[in-house]
Amino acid sequence: MATRRVLVTGCSSGIGLAVAARLAKDELRRFKVVATMRDLGKRGPLEKAAGDSLNKTLEIKELDACCETSIKECINSLPNRRVDVLVNNAGVGMIGPLECQSIDAMKELFDTNFFGLVRLVKEVLPDMKQRQSGHIVVMSSVMGLQGLLFNDVYSASKFAVEGFCESLAVQAMKFNIKTTLVEPGPVVTEFERKMYESAEKMDLSGTDEETARIFRELYLPYSKEIFTSLSQTPEEVAEQTVNVITAKDPPLRHQTNKVYMPMTALKHADPTGRLPLHTFYKMIFKHDRVFSATLGVLRLLQRRAGKK
């Protein structure tokens, strides 16, 4: 099998770094990895993770997903502009009461999470069509399937990503181009840690006292429990992403965390939307003991899954 060139975005840390390093260290040497990031000054952790593969099966390039010129310059620097697999990973988060978020901050989030993807696909898709081959892999989220409390804007950006890819996938098939949405649940990264640290100090003066209380006393503690119980490591997500890339017939959607699937399955079980809405409401506001017990069961399932 010919070596495939894989361009990965957002590689300075977290999932992007783990995916790039894992592909570069592939024992069968099936990939030539172009690991990109907006700020090359943050390349140190990736260089360390890449080890001996650096400048052999992995090269690091600058790419800002929010800048069309940056994207074009990066793609133009590649031999024949060839990108066999695009792994779109660059993204930012946002949590908190809607009233406390500025419209400008929301636009910036969409500029990275949604329009960053659109810019990249626009640049690589014509060449993939011409070659009649390619694979577009997009790091989405379970929050692109099921909205969650105080994640309104972030979830909206991931819903946009899901709709974009689902629509594009039909056209892409005509040109033998595969499309896959990788949908992790909670993932323990430095990015997530800093986001929740900032949330604990967040100025909530823009909202009412009850909403502020719910955010501080319910949402944040529950989120910590969820991360403790259900979270994956970037390396676990990376391993499954590699499996998707190497699959003979890759799926349109792939959830990386099996124990989180019951949460997203609720949505498909009731087309009216009442079942997931009422279930999440009761778990958070009515039956906190049930919530804790549910996490306990899911934690047990995760441990069993890890032993298989």
Side-chain angles (χ1 to χ4, degrees):
M1 184 180 293
T3 300
R4 288 194 285 172
R5 181 177 292 119
V6 185
L7 188 146
V8 188
T9 66
C11 293
S12 62
S13 64
I15 295 173
L17 184 155
V19 169
R22 171 63 182 81
L23 288 167
K25 293 179 179 181
D26 178 56
E27 291 183 356
L28 299 177
R29 298 177 70 87
R30 291 171 289 184
F31 309 106
K32 177 69 175 177
V33 182
V34 181
T36 71
M37 60 188 69
R38 183 173 56 183
D39 181 1
L40 289 178
K42 297 181 178 180
R43 62 192 291 165
L46 175 59
E47 289 178 333
K48 183 177 180 181
D52 293 338
S53 67
L54 185 64
N55 298 322
K56 293 178 182 176
T57 54
L58 181 145
E59 61 178 322
I60 302 173
K61 288 183 176 289
E62 180 179 345
L63 186 151
D64 182 354
C66 295
C67 176
E68 290 182 63
T69 301
S70 174
I71 294 170
K72 188 174 291 290
E73 287 178 352
C74 181
I75 302 300
N76 285 344
S77 73
L78 304 177
N80 301 316
R81 288 175 46 91
R82 187 181 185 100
V83 176
D84 298 297
V85 183
L86 169 66
V87 180
N88 182 86
N89 169 73
V92 295
M94 177 183 288
I95 57 174
L98 183 66
E99 307 95 307
C100 300
Q101 313 287 359
S102 71
I103 295 296
D104 284 343
M106 297 179 197
K107 288 180 178 178
E108 288 179 8
L109 180 142
F110 264 82
D111 198 34
T112 299
N113 292 8
F114 177 66
F115 289 106
L117 166 64
V118 174
R119 292 185 191 100
L120 281 156
V121 172
K122 277 190 68 178
E123 192 63 35
V124 303
L125 186 62
D127 294 325
M128 287 183 172
K129 284 182 173 180
Q130 189 174 23
R131 292 193 305 269
Q132 295 275 308
S133 69
H135 192 179
I136 297 169
V137 180
V138 180
M139 201 59 61
S140 182
S141 168
V142 292
M143 280 190 267
L145 302 172
Q146 174 67 58
L148 295 178
L149 182 70
F150 292 122
N151 283 269
D152 323 271
V153 180
Y154 176 77
S155 187
S157 74
K158 291 302 184 180
F159 266 77
V161 163
E162 293 269 335
F164 172 76
C165 291
E166 188 173 286
S167 300
L168 185 68
V170 179
Q171 177 198 153
M173 282 184 69
K174 179 66 176 175
F175 296 89
N176 195 36
I177 300 167
K178 310 296 184 183
T179 307
T180 300
L181 289 149
V182 178
E183 299 159 335
V187 182
V188 179
T189 64
E190 184 68 10
F191 165 79
E192 294 284 354
R193 187 185 66 78
K194 289 181 177 179
M195 186 171 68
Y196 279 97
E197 281 183 357
S198 297
E200 291 176 352
K201 304 171 185 176
M202 187 176 183
D203 179 9
L204 300 176
S205 60
T207 190
D208 58 276
E209 290 184 6
E210 179 62 7
T211 300
R213 184 191 68 80
I214 293 169
F215 180 66
R216 283 202 178 104
E217 298 180 14
L218 290 180
Y219 173 77
L220 288 177
Y222 280 4
S223 293
K224 288 181 180 178
E225 283 193 58
I226 289 172
F227 267 83
T228 301
S229 303
L230 305 180
S231 62
Q232 292 180 297
T233 65
E235 289 72 25
E236 288 173 321
V237 176
E239 191 64 36
Q240 294 196 43
T241 302
V242 173
N243 291 340
V244 164
I245 291 172
T246 56
K248 185 176 181 180
D249 184 21
L252 173 62
R253 287 187 170 89
H254 176 76
Q255 288 188 51
T256 67
N257 196 330
K258 290 183 178 180
V259 297
Y260 205 87
M261 288 180 182
M263 304 286 192
T264 54
L266 289 172
K267 188 168 187 176
H268 300 289
D270 179 9
T272 71
R274 293 191 184 95
L275 178 60
L277 182 63
H278 290 182
T279 299
F280 279 108
Y281 179 85
K282 289 177 180 178
M283 284 173 61
I284 294 169
F285 296 113
K286 298 290 186 181
H287 305 297
D288 58 333
R289 291 183 180 178
V290 172
F291 178 83
S292 297
T294 301
L295 288 181
V297 171
L298 292 174
R299 189 184 299 117
L300 179 62
L301 290 173
Q302 188 177 49
R303 288 171 182 167
R304 289 180 176 176
K307 293 178 181 179
K308 291 181 180 180

PDB file of all heavy atoms in Angstrom, residues 23-53:
ATOM      1  N   LEU A  23       0.131   8.324  14.268  1.00  0.00           N
ATOM      2  CA  LEU A  23       0.240   8.035  12.844  1.00  0.00           C
ATOM      3  C   LEU A  23       1.701   7.974  12.404  1.00  0.00           C
ATOM      4  O   LEU A  23       2.092   7.114  11.619  1.00  0.00           O
ATOM      5  CB  LEU A  23      -0.500   9.107  12.037  1.00  0.00           C
ATOM      6  CG  LEU A  23      -2.029   9.088  12.083  1.00  0.00           C
ATOM      7  CD1 LEU A  23      -2.588  10.380  11.501  1.00  0.00           C
ATOM      8  CD2 LEU A  23      -2.583   7.886  11.327  1.00  0.00           C
ATOM      9  N   ALA A  24       2.500   8.898  12.935  1.00  0.00           N
ATOM     10  CA  ALA A  24       3.906   8.958  12.547  1.00  0.00           C
ATOM     11  C   ALA A  24       4.674   7.728  13.007  1.00  0.00           C
ATOM     12  O   ALA A  24       5.661   7.331  12.374  1.00  0.00           O
ATOM     13  CB  ALA A  24       4.549  10.214  13.116  1.00  0.00           C
ATOM     14  N   LYS A  25       4.237   7.116  14.099  1.00  0.00           N
ATOM     15  CA  LYS A  25       4.924   5.945  14.653  1.00  0.00           C
ATOM     16  C   LYS A  25       4.309   4.630  14.184  1.00  0.00           C
ATOM     17  O   LYS A  25       4.629   3.568  14.733  1.00  0.00           O
ATOM     18  CB  LYS A  25       4.892   6.015  16.183  1.00  0.00           C
ATOM     19  CG  LYS A  25       5.715   7.168  16.757  1.00  0.00           C
ATOM     20  CD  LYS A  25       5.636   7.199  18.281  1.00  0.00           C
ATOM     21  CE  LYS A  25       6.485   8.327  18.852  1.00  0.00           C
ATOM     22  NZ  LYS A  25       6.434   8.370  20.335  1.00  0.00           N
ATOM     23  N   ASP A  26       3.452   4.701  13.183  1.00  0.00           N
ATOM     24  CA  ASP A  26       2.818   3.501  12.652  1.00  0.00           C
ATOM     25  C   ASP A  26       3.879   2.471  12.256  1.00  0.00           C
ATOM     26  O   ASP A  26       4.812   2.771  11.495  1.00  0.00           O
ATOM     27  CB  ASP A  26       1.977   3.875  11.426  1.00  0.00           C
ATOM     28  CG  ASP A  26       1.321   2.675  10.790  1.00  0.00           C
ATOM     29  OD1 ASP A  26       0.585   1.958  11.494  1.00  0.00           O
ATOM     30  OD2 ASP A  26       1.553   2.451   9.585  1.00  0.00           O
ATOM     31  N   GLU A  27       3.761   1.277  12.784  1.00  0.00           N
ATOM     32  CA  GLU A  27       4.774   0.242  12.564  1.00  0.00           C
ATOM     33  C   GLU A  27       4.913  -0.140  11.097  1.00  0.00           C
ATOM     34  O   GLU A  27       5.991  -0.531  10.642  1.00  0.00           O
ATOM     35  CB  GLU A  27       4.439  -1.000  13.395  1.00  0.00           C
ATOM     36  CG  GLU A  27       4.587  -0.786  14.900  1.00  0.00           C
ATOM     37  CD  GLU A  27       4.311  -2.046  15.695  1.00  0.00           C
ATOM     38  OE1 GLU A  27       3.938  -3.066  15.073  1.00  0.00           O
ATOM     39  OE2 GLU A  27       4.473  -2.014  16.933  1.00  0.00           O
ATOM     40  N   LEU A  28       3.838  -0.006  10.332  1.00  0.00           N
ATOM     41  CA  LEU A  28       3.875  -0.353   8.915  1.00  0.00           C
ATOM     42  C   LEU A  28       4.304   0.822   8.040  1.00  0.00           C
ATOM     43  O   LEU A  28       4.374   0.690   6.818  1.00  0.00           O
ATOM     44  CB  LEU A  28       2.495  -0.859   8.464  1.00  0.00           C
ATOM     45  CG  LEU A  28       1.979  -2.115   9.187  1.00  0.00           C
ATOM     46  CD1 LEU A  28       0.587  -2.471   8.703  1.00  0.00           C
ATOM     47  CD2 LEU A  28       2.933  -3.285   8.969  1.00  0.00           C
ATOM     48  N   ARG A  29       4.542   1.970   8.691  1.00  0.00           N
ATOM     49  CA  ARG A  29       4.986   3.187   7.998  1.00  0.00           C
ATOM     50  C   ARG A  29       4.076   3.520   6.821  1.00  0.00           C
ATOM     51  O   ARG A  29       4.512   3.796   5.695  1.00  0.00           O
ATOM     52  CB  ARG A  29       6.437   3.027   7.527  1.00  0.00           C
ATOM     53  CG  ARG A  29       7.419   2.832   8.668  1.00  0.00           C
ATOM     54  CD  ARG A  29       8.842   2.614   8.173  1.00  0.00           C
ATOM     55  NE  ARG A  29       9.394   3.832   7.608  1.00  0.00           N
ATOM     56  CZ  ARG A  29      10.018   4.778   8.300  1.00  0.00           C
ATOM     57  NH1 ARG A  29      10.133   4.647   9.630  1.00  0.00           N
ATOM     58  NH2 ARG A  29      10.524   5.830   7.707  1.00  0.00           N
ATOM     59  N   ARG A  30       2.770   3.519   7.120  1.00  0.00           N
ATOM     60  CA  ARG A  30       1.785   3.777   6.070  1.00  0.00           C
ATOM     61  C   ARG A  30       1.500   5.261   5.859  1.00  0.00           C
ATOM     62  O   ARG A  30       0.799   5.626   4.907  1.00  0.00           O
ATOM     63  CB  ARG A  30       0.467   3.067   6.439  1.00  0.00           C
ATOM     64  CG  ARG A  30       0.527   1.557   6.379  1.00  0.00           C
ATOM     65  CD  ARG A  30      -0.718   0.925   6.958  1.00  0.00           C
ATOM     66  NE  ARG A  30      -0.765   1.075   8.419  1.00  0.00           N
ATOM     67  CZ  ARG A  30      -1.721   0.550   9.199  1.00  0.00           C
ATOM     68  NH1 ARG A  30      -2.711  -0.140   8.633  1.00  0.00           N
ATOM     69  NH2 ARG A  30      -1.687   0.709  10.505  1.00  0.00           N
ATOM     70  N   PHE A  31       2.055   6.130   6.735  1.00  0.00           N
ATOM     71  CA  PHE A  31       1.668   7.533   6.689  1.00  0.00           C
ATOM     72  C   PHE A  31       2.863   8.481   6.691  1.00  0.00           C
ATOM     73  O   PHE A  31       3.896   8.212   7.308  1.00  0.00           O
ATOM     74  CB  PHE A  31       0.782   7.864   7.897  1.00  0.00           C
ATOM     75  CG  PHE A  31      -0.365   6.923   8.084  1.00  0.00           C
ATOM     76  CD1 PHE A  31      -0.345   5.971   9.104  1.00  0.00           C
ATOM     77  CD2 PHE A  31      -1.450   6.945   7.221  1.00  0.00           C
ATOM     78  CE1 PHE A  31      -1.391   5.082   9.276  1.00  0.00           C
ATOM     79  CE2 PHE A  31      -2.504   6.060   7.380  1.00  0.00           C
ATOM     80  CZ  PHE A  31      -2.476   5.125   8.408  1.00  0.00           C
ATOM     81  N   LYS A  32       2.683   9.574   5.985  1.00  0.00           N
ATOM     82  CA  LYS A  32       3.576  10.720   6.071  1.00  0.00           C
ATOM     83  C   LYS A  32       2.726  11.827   6.683  1.00  0.00           C
ATOM     84  O   LYS A  32       1.749  12.282   6.082  1.00  0.00           O
ATOM     85  CB  LYS A  32       4.063  11.132   4.677  1.00  0.00           C
ATOM     86  CG  LYS A  32       4.941  12.364   4.663  1.00  0.00           C
ATOM     87  CD  LYS A  32       6.297  12.123   5.298  1.00  0.00           C
ATOM     88  CE  LYS A  32       7.200  13.343   5.153  1.00  0.00           C
ATOM     89  NZ  LYS A  32       8.501  13.155   5.814  1.00  0.00           N
ATOM     90  N   VAL A  33       3.066  12.236   7.902  1.00  0.00           N
ATOM     91  CA  VAL A  33       2.208  13.140   8.671  1.00  0.00           C
ATOM     92  C   VAL A  33       2.682  14.587   8.549  1.00  0.00           C
ATOM     93  O   VAL A  33       3.859  14.891   8.753  1.00  0.00           O
ATOM     94  CB  VAL A  33       2.178  12.737  10.160  1.00  0.00           C
ATOM     95  CG1 VAL A  33       1.252  13.661  10.944  1.00  0.00           C
ATOM     96  CG2 VAL A  33       1.738  11.282  10.310  1.00  0.00           C
ATOM     97  N   VAL A  34       1.739  15.454   8.215  1.00  0.00           N
ATOM     98  CA  VAL A  34       1.976  16.898   8.241  1.00  0.00           C
ATOM     99  C   VAL A  34       1.202  17.422   9.441  1.00  0.00           C
ATOM    100  O   VAL A  34      -0.026  17.568   9.393  1.00  0.00           O
ATOM    101  CB  VAL A  34       1.504  17.581   6.943  1.00  0.00           C
ATOM    102  CG1 VAL A  34       1.798  19.082   7.002  1.00  0.00           C
ATOM    103  CG2 VAL A  34       2.165  16.948   5.731  1.00  0.00           C
ATOM    104  N   ALA A  35       1.903  17.648  10.529  1.00  0.00           N
ATOM    105  CA  ALA A  35       1.279  18.087  11.781  1.00  0.00           C
ATOM    106  C   ALA A  35       1.317  19.608  11.832  1.00  0.00           C
ATOM    107  O   ALA A  35       2.399  20.205  11.779  1.00  0.00           O
ATOM    108  CB  ALA A  35       2.016  17.499  12.977  1.00  0.00           C
ATOM    109  N   THR A  36       0.162  20.237  11.929  1.00  0.00           N
ATOM    110  CA  THR A  36       0.120  21.696  11.848  1.00  0.00           C
ATOM    111  C   THR A  36      -0.399  22.315  13.141  1.00  0.00           C
ATOM    112  O   THR A  36      -1.114  21.689  13.918  1.00  0.00           O
ATOM    113  CB  THR A  36      -0.778  22.156  10.679  1.00  0.00           C
ATOM    114  OG1 THR A  36      -2.161  21.892  11.004  1.00  0.00           O
ATOM    115  CG2 THR A  36      -0.408  21.447   9.392  1.00  0.00           C
ATOM    116  N   MET A  37      -0.018  23.580  13.325  1.00  0.00           N
ATOM    117  CA  MET A  37      -0.490  24.358  14.466  1.00  0.00           C
ATOM    118  C   MET A  37      -0.395  25.834  14.125  1.00  0.00           C
ATOM    119  O   MET A  37       0.366  26.226  13.228  1.00  0.00           O
ATOM    120  CB  MET A  37       0.328  24.036  15.715  1.00  0.00           C
ATOM    121  CG  MET A  37       1.814  24.330  15.596  1.00  0.00           C
ATOM    122  SD  MET A  37       2.779  23.719  17.009  1.00  0.00           S
ATOM    123  CE  MET A  37       2.677  21.929  16.775  1.00  0.00           C
ATOM    124  N   ARG A  38      -1.156  26.632  14.823  1.00  0.00           N
ATOM    125  CA  ARG A  38      -1.167  28.074  14.548  1.00  0.00           C
ATOM    126  C   ARG A  38       0.116  28.738  15.006  1.00  0.00           C
ATOM    127  O   ARG A  38       0.639  29.627  14.338  1.00  0.00           O
ATOM    128  CB  ARG A  38      -2.381  28.716  15.241  1.00  0.00           C
ATOM    129  CG  ARG A  38      -2.539  30.199  14.977  1.00  0.00           C
ATOM    130  CD  ARG A  38      -3.838  30.710  15.543  1.00  0.00           C
ATOM    131  NE  ARG A  38      -3.960  30.435  16.968  1.00  0.00           N
ATOM    132  CZ  ARG A  38      -5.029  30.719  17.706  1.00  0.00           C
ATOM    133  NH1 ARG A  38      -6.087  31.274  17.122  1.00  0.00           N
ATOM    134  NH2 ARG A  38      -5.063  30.443  18.996  1.00  0.00           N
ATOM    135  N   ASP A  39       0.641  28.318  16.151  1.00  0.00           N
ATOM    136  CA  ASP A  39       1.818  28.940  16.749  1.00  0.00           C
ATOM    137  C   ASP A  39       2.948  27.912  16.841  1.00  0.00           C
ATOM    138  O   ASP A  39       2.924  27.022  17.686  1.00  0.00           O
ATOM    139  CB  ASP A  39       1.474  29.470  18.149  1.00  0.00           C
ATOM    140  CG  ASP A  39       2.646  30.167  18.832  1.00  0.00           C
ATOM    141  OD1 ASP A  39       3.721  30.264  18.215  1.00  0.00           O
ATOM    142  OD2 ASP A  39       2.470  30.602  19.983  1.00  0.00           O
ATOM    143  N   LEU A  40       3.938  28.043  15.972  1.00  0.00           N
ATOM    144  CA  LEU A  40       5.044  27.080  15.966  1.00  0.00           C
ATOM    145  C   LEU A  40       5.899  27.170  17.225  1.00  0.00           C
ATOM    146  O   LEU A  40       6.690  26.263  17.504  1.00  0.00           O
ATOM    147  CB  LEU A  40       5.920  27.300  14.729  1.00  0.00           C
ATOM    148  CG  LEU A  40       5.294  26.890  13.385  1.00  0.00           C
ATOM    149  CD1 LEU A  40       6.244  27.201  12.236  1.00  0.00           C
ATOM    150  CD2 LEU A  40       4.908  25.419  13.386  1.00  0.00           C
ATOM    151  N   GLY A  41       5.728  28.228  17.999  1.00  0.00           N
ATOM    152  CA  GLY A  41       6.432  28.341  19.267  1.00  0.00           C
ATOM    153  C   GLY A  41       5.972  27.305  20.278  1.00  0.00           C
ATOM    154  O   GLY A  41       6.634  27.097  21.308  1.00  0.00           O
ATOM    155  N   LYS A  42       4.842  26.642  19.992  1.00  0.00           N
ATOM    156  CA  LYS A  42       4.303  25.619  20.886  1.00  0.00           C
ATOM    157  C   LYS A  42       4.571  24.203  20.368  1.00  0.00           C
ATOM    158  O   LYS A  42       3.894  23.255  20.751  1.00  0.00           O
ATOM    159  CB  LYS A  42       2.798  25.831  21.070  1.00  0.00           C
ATOM    160  CG  LYS A  42       2.444  27.160  21.727  1.00  0.00           C
ATOM    161  CD  LYS A  42       0.941  27.307  21.898  1.00  0.00           C
ATOM    162  CE  LYS A  42       0.589  28.621  22.596  1.00  0.00           C
ATOM    163  NZ  LYS A  42      -0.878  28.787  22.773  1.00  0.00           N
ATOM    164  N   ARG A  43       5.571  24.055  19.515  1.00  0.00           N
ATOM    165  CA  ARG A  43       5.836  22.768  18.890  1.00  0.00           C
ATOM    166  C   ARG A  43       6.585  21.791  19.802  1.00  0.00           C
ATOM    167  O   ARG A  43       6.655  20.592  19.513  1.00  0.00           O
ATOM    168  CB  ARG A  43       6.642  22.978  17.609  1.00  0.00           C
ATOM    169  CG  ARG A  43       8.002  23.617  17.848  1.00  0.00           C
ATOM    170  CD  ARG A  43       8.648  24.066  16.548  1.00  0.00           C
ATOM    171  NE  ARG A  43       9.046  22.935  15.728  1.00  0.00           N
ATOM    172  CZ  ARG A  43       9.362  23.038  14.440  1.00  0.00           C
ATOM    173  NH1 ARG A  43       9.300  24.207  13.835  1.00  0.00           N
ATOM    174  NH2 ARG A  43       9.748  21.977  13.764  1.00  0.00           N
ATOM    175  N   GLY A  44       7.151  22.273  20.923  1.00  0.00           N
ATOM    176  CA  GLY A  44       7.973  21.453  21.802  1.00  0.00           C
ATOM    177  C   GLY A  44       7.345  20.129  22.215  1.00  0.00           C
ATOM    178  O   GLY A  44       7.969  19.062  22.055  1.00  0.00           O
ATOM    179  N   PRO A  45       6.111  20.124  22.779  1.00  0.00           N
ATOM    180  CA  PRO A  45       5.491  18.858  23.204  1.00  0.00           C
ATOM    181  C   PRO A  45       5.307  17.866  22.058  1.00  0.00           C
ATOM    182  O   PRO A  45       5.477  16.658  22.249  1.00  0.00           O
ATOM    183  CB  PRO A  45       4.137  19.307  23.775  1.00  0.00           C
ATOM    184  CG  PRO A  45       4.383  20.710  24.231  1.00  0.00           C
ATOM    185  CD  PRO A  45       5.320  21.299  23.222  1.00  0.00           C
ATOM    186  N   LEU A  46       4.986  18.365  20.867  1.00  0.00           N
ATOM    187  CA  LEU A  46       4.820  17.476  19.715  1.00  0.00           C
ATOM    188  C   LEU A  46       6.158  16.878  19.297  1.00  0.00           C
ATOM    189  O   LEU A  46       6.244  15.679  18.994  1.00  0.00           O
ATOM    190  CB  LEU A  46       4.191  18.227  18.546  1.00  0.00           C
ATOM    191  CG  LEU A  46       4.070  17.437  17.236  1.00  0.00           C
ATOM    192  CD1 LEU A  46       3.242  16.177  17.432  1.00  0.00           C
ATOM    193  CD2 LEU A  46       3.461  18.311  16.142  1.00  0.00           C
ATOM    194  N   GLU A  47       7.201  17.694  19.279  1.00  0.00           N
ATOM    195  CA  GLU A  47       8.525  17.178  18.929  1.00  0.00           C
ATOM    196  C   GLU A  47       8.950  16.077  19.887  1.00  0.00           C
ATOM    197  O   GLU A  47       9.516  15.057  19.475  1.00  0.00           O
ATOM    198  CB  GLU A  47       9.543  18.320  18.941  1.00  0.00           C
ATOM    199  CG  GLU A  47       9.369  19.312  17.790  1.00  0.00           C
ATOM    200  CD  GLU A  47      10.367  20.443  17.858  1.00  0.00           C
ATOM    201  OE1 GLU A  47      10.825  20.779  18.973  1.00  0.00           O
ATOM    202  OE2 GLU A  47      10.674  21.011  16.782  1.00  0.00           O
ATOM    203  N   LYS A  48       8.665  16.278  21.173  1.00  0.00           N
ATOM    204  CA  LYS A  48       9.000  15.272  22.179  1.00  0.00           C
ATOM    205  C   LYS A  48       8.208  13.993  21.957  1.00  0.00           C
ATOM    206  O   LYS A  48       8.748  12.882  22.025  1.00  0.00           O
ATOM    207  CB  LYS A  48       8.738  15.823  23.573  1.00  0.00           C
ATOM    208  CG  LYS A  48       9.125  14.873  24.696  1.00  0.00           C
ATOM    209  CD  LYS A  48       8.900  15.510  26.059  1.00  0.00           C
ATOM    210  CE  LYS A  48       9.294  14.555  27.179  1.00  0.00           C
ATOM    211  NZ  LYS A  48       9.065  15.166  28.523  1.00  0.00           N
ATOM    212  N   ALA A  49       6.902  14.151  21.684  1.00  0.00           N
ATOM    213  CA  ALA A  49       6.047  12.977  21.467  1.00  0.00           C
ATOM    214  C   ALA A  49       6.418  12.249  20.183  1.00  0.00           C
ATOM    215  O   ALA A  49       6.335  11.013  20.111  1.00  0.00           O
ATOM    216  CB  ALA A  49       4.582  13.411  21.414  1.00  0.00           C
ATOM    217  N   ALA A  50       6.847  12.980  19.171  1.00  0.00           N
ATOM    218  CA  ALA A  50       7.197  12.372  17.880  1.00  0.00           C
ATOM    219  C   ALA A  50       8.470  11.543  17.979  1.00  0.00           C
ATOM    220  O   ALA A  50       8.621  10.520  17.296  1.00  0.00           O
ATOM    221  CB  ALA A  50       7.344  13.459  16.819  1.00  0.00           C
ATOM    222  N   GLY A  51       9.401  11.970  18.811  1.00  0.00           N
ATOM    223  CA  GLY A  51      10.637  11.217  18.993  1.00  0.00           C
ATOM    224  C   GLY A  51      11.408  11.037  17.698  1.00  0.00           C
ATOM    225  O   GLY A  51      11.616  11.986  16.934  1.00  0.00           O
ATOM    226  N   ASP A  52      11.800   9.800  17.409  1.00  0.00           N
ATOM    227  CA  ASP A  52      12.621   9.499  16.229  1.00  0.00           C
ATOM    228  C   ASP A  52      11.881   9.709  14.912  1.00  0.00           C
ATOM    229  O   ASP A  52      12.510   9.762  13.847  1.00  0.00           O
ATOM    230  CB  ASP A  52      13.128   8.053  16.289  1.00  0.00           C
ATOM    231  CG  ASP A  52      14.111   7.837  17.430  1.00  0.00           C
ATOM    232  OD1 ASP A  52      14.700   8.837  17.895  1.00  0.00           O
ATOM    233  OD2 ASP A  52      14.271   6.677  17.859  1.00  0.00           O
ATOM    234  N   SER A  53      10.550   9.803  14.964  1.00  0.00           N
ATOM    235  CA  SER A  53       9.785   9.988  13.725  1.00  0.00           C
ATOM    236  C   SER A  53       9.850  11.425  13.204  1.00  0.00           C
ATOM    237  O   SER A  53       9.502  11.691  12.054  1.00  0.00           O
ATOM    238  CB  SER A  53       8.314   9.600  13.944  1.00  0.00           C
ATOM    239  OG  SER A  53       7.674  10.501  14.851  1.00  0.00           O
TER     240      SER A  53
END
